Amino acid sequence: LLQKINDLLHLAQMSPEEEQAATTKVALNPMIHAAIEVHSRAAFAKDVRVKPVLLDPGPSVTGDRLQLKQAVLHLLSNAIKH
């Protein structure tokens, strides 16, 4: 929770120039695995099994690493909840 709060505060304080500078190539597989680890307890509590089916090597996208991380975490959280 503390990490999410810090990430949100960081995003809120970024200027447009900083946002543009933060754009980089990001590998999605490690980010997806980390998100699964973060939400593993919630998935277990809801009796939800999360099984990633990922390509090797996985895809990369260009963007802000922090924003992409937040998006992946949010998508997985919603998938477990609903």
Side-chain angles (χ1 to χ4, degrees):
L1 180 60
L2 181 59
Q3 182 62 46
K4 287 183 181 185
I5 292 169
N6 287 335
D7 290 348
L8 289 172
L9 289 172
H10 175 73
L11 286 174
Q13 295 172 349
M14 288 180 72
S15 69
E17 294 81 21
E18 288 174 314
E19 286 182 38
Q20 200 166 26
T23 300
T24 185
K25 189 172 183 180
V26 180
L28 291 180
N29 281 2
M31 193 172 287
I32 292 168
H33 283 292
I36 291 170
E37 186 66 30
V38 167
H39 290 297
S40 62
R41 287 186 186 175
F44 181 79
K46 289 241 179 191
D47 199 27
V48 172
R49 182 173 171 217
V50 179
K51 180 181 176 191
V53 179
L54 304 171
L55 299 173
D56 188 28
S60 294
V61 295
T62 301
D64 181 276
R65 181 178 302 279
L66 185 57
Q67 290 179 346
L68 290 167
K69 176 182 170 186
Q70 288 298 325
V72 170
L73 287 167
H74 184 71
L75 288 169
L76 185 58
S77 175
N78 282 345
I80 292 168
K81 287 179 189 176
H82 306 288

